[in-house]
């Protein structure tokens, strides 16, 4: 197969940042994706409906002329979040999900949740309204090995939470382990997972073998090969519980190439080309559309996009920038370490 037309994809987990960085990266997502779930971990975070309203306006202002793109706004859950504010945001149609960051788990998560007990009133209200909770599924306990933090989160936090609020619709964001995939696949209702492009392509060797490579460092950190294989099987299975969330998370190069580099990989530019390559390798190109364009809207209860995109497999490798210049500084693009042949037309 050398040509594939699919419904226009959506990105169910995207970091657009703000200001000059937002202006620099947004055109790349908007070129390929119709909608995206916009992560709220700005500094300061997007915690109230008013914050989300003004962030949405800044995103729309930063769009190139004539480009259609719908930012699906989220709220950053804190222990002070008001259930009434969340409910009003949902009822107005602005807020499509609430994001739970365990405090300290990742970039800009200091105002996250320390105790689930303190956010129960919000979670119960969300369950009653059918508003999804997006979860960064890693414990922050310093005594837990970083490669085990997702598996331990499932056992200590996610499973008890699902028992406590069974009607709460949850998305396990950027699942990175076989444990996570198996847990989601075993759930009968109210649980789905996003999978990133890069976790389908790299394992932890990319970060550490032969030298330390900060542009492959993200959170949750890439795991060993068996986990990558499990993620590939889930993504290409067609199972409606798994869909694309790129977690494209730009940081300027000086913030990554230093003594304590930030977590985050920028994939907005080449995600679809990378995914077509992965699905072709797995002989599952006929299931790419389910992963990028159908399963996500079905879980979020939104219509699928009516527009389409066509991917063409060119005989020669396609050319994409290895780095982009944003007004905030240079940002390195994810290098999949293989030549890309699939071009988005
Ligand atoms: C994200 C970021 O930079 O905001 N980083 C990352 O490694 N994925 C935060 C996140 O989604 O964990
Ligand atoms: Zn993220």
């Amino acid at each position: 197969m050398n040509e594939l037309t699919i419904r226009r994809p959506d990105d169910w987990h995207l970091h657009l940042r703000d200001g000059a960085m937002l202006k620099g990266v947004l055109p790349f997502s908007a070129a390929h994706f119709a909608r995206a779930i916009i992560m709220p971990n700005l500094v300061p975070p997007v915690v109230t409906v008013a914050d989300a309203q003004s962030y949405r306006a800044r995103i729309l202002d930063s769009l190139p002329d004539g480009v259609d793109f719908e930012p699906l706004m989220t709220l950053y859950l804190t222990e002070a979040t008001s259930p009434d504010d969340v409910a009003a945001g949902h009822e107005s149609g602005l807020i499509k999900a609430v994001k739970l960051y365990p405090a300290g788990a990742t970039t800009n998560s200091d105002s996250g949740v320390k105790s689930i007990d303190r956010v129960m009133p919000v979670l119960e209200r969300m369950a009653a309204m059918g508003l999804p909770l997006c979860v960064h599924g890693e414990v922050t306990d310093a005594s837990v090995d970083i490669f085990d933090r997702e598996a331990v989160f499932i056992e200590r936090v996610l499973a008890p939470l699902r028992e406590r609020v069974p009607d709460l619709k949850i998305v396990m964001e950027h699942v990175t382990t076989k444990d996570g995939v198996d847990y989601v696949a075993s759930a009968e209702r109210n649980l789905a997972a996003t999978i990133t492009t890069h976790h389908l392509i790299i394992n932890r060797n990319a970060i550490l073998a032969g030298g330390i490579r900060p542009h492959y460092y993200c959170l949750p950190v890439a795991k060993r090969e068996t986990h990558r294989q499990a993620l590939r099987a889930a993504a290409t299975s067609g199972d409606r519980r798994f869909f694309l969330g790129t977690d494209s998370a730009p940081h300027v190069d000086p913030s990554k190439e230093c003594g304590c580099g930030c977590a985050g990989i920028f994939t907005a530019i080449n995600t679809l080309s990378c995914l077509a390559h992965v699905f072709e390798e797995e002989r599952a190109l006929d299931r790419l559309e389910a992963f990028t364009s159908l399963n996500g809207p079905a879980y979020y209860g939104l219509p699928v996009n009516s527009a389409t995109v066509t991917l063409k497999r060119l005989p020669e490798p396609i050319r994409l920038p290895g780095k982009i210049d944003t007004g905030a500084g240079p940002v390195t693009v994810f290098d999949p370490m293989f030549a890309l042949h699939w071009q988005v037309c």
Side-chain angles (χ1 to χ4, degrees), residues 300-317:
Y300 274 86
L302 294 170
V304 297
N305 299 310
S306 46
T308 58
V309 291
T310 296
L311 288 144
K312 285 193 180 149
R313 191 185 204 294
L314 306 184
E316 297 301 320

Side-chain angles (χ1 to χ4, degrees), residues 143-158:
S143 69
V144 177
D145 189 279
I146 190 164
F147 292 102
D148 298 333
R149 288 183 182 186
E150 183 171 295
V152 173
F153 181 88
I154 294 169
E155 182 193 309
R156 285 194 199 163
V157 184
L158 188 55

Side-chain angles (χ1 to χ4, degrees), residues 13 15 17 39 41-42 99 101 105-109 136 138 173-174 196 198-199 217-221 246-251 256 262-265:
H13 181 130
H15 299 270
R17 316 302 191 200
M39 286 296 128
N41 63 332
L42 304 182
K99 178 74 190 256
Y101 288 102
T106 186
T107 312
N108 307 336
S109 62
H136 183 106
E138 289 191 288
E173 298 292 296
H174 41 49
T196 77
H198 48 279
H199 287 111
Y217 173 60
C218 68
L219 287 171
V221 69
T246 65
D247 195 17
S248 183
H251 291 276
K256 296 218 32 110
C262 294
I265 298 181

